[in-house]
Amino acid sequence: MGYVIGKAEGTGDDWHGHVTAISVAPEYRRLQLASKMMRHLEQVSDTYHHAFFVDLYARSDNQIAIDMYERDGYSVYRQVQGYYAALEPNSIYGSENAYDMRKPCPRDTQRKSVRPNGRNILVPAKQVS
């Protein structure tokens, strides 16, 4: 059916849950399984790890995924240039940008983990840990 892989990482106000991967088999899509798995990871991040937010990286041209994440309460925090590097140095595809998308947890009372203009904040991939 599908899976989600996540972890807790960061320090201080940057302590957060991170979605490493999420996937749903084609025959199980459009059943809201991805959203349900995301909610479970968010709940674990909040309840057991006391995270300030949950984040993930989505290809900036993957509008279907971005729409789903935004419906689920995520917003773009920043755009990471060249996050998805070409697999081979001479690839015709080059590198692709990613959106660092975040959803605050209840612990982030000051909502430091979100900003209104994240699509306009560009950072190089080497500045992202």
Side-chain angles (χ1 to χ4, degrees), residues 40-94:
H40 180 70
L41 189 140
E42 292 161 11
Q43 182 181 17
V44 168
S45 296
D46 177 36
T47 304
Y48 296 103
H49 297 289
H50 309 291
F52 282 94
F53 60 93
V54 175
D55 79 342
L56 58 89
Y57 291 91
R59 288 183 190 274
S60 58
D61 65 352
N62 187 348
Q63 197 58 51
I64 292 172
I66 292 164
D67 289 345
M68 181 193 76
Y69 297 134
E70 287 179 336
R71 275 192 309 273
D72 289 345
Y74 288 78
S75 61
V76 176
Y77 184 75
R78 60 188 172 178
Q79 186 173 172
V80 183
Q81 296 174 307
Y83 182 81
Y84 295 102
L87 296 177
E88 298 180 22
N90 297 324
S91 171
I92 62 170
Y93 298 107

Side-chain angles (χ1 to χ4, degrees), residues 2-46:
Y3 64 85
V4 63
I5 301 171
K7 61 184 176 180
E9 64 182 4
T11 59
D13 289 348
D14 193 42
W15 179 247
H16 64 280
H18 175 74
V19 180
T20 304
I22 186 163
S23 181
V24 175
E27 61 270 25
Y28 292 98
R29 292 183 183 157
R30 305 196 60 80
L31 299 174
Q32 299 182 352
L33 292 176
S35 292
K36 290 174 184 174
M37 290 188 292
M38 292 290 292
R39 280 195 299 275
H40 180 70
L41 189 140
E42 292 161 11
Q43 182 181 17
V44 168
S45 296
D46 177 36

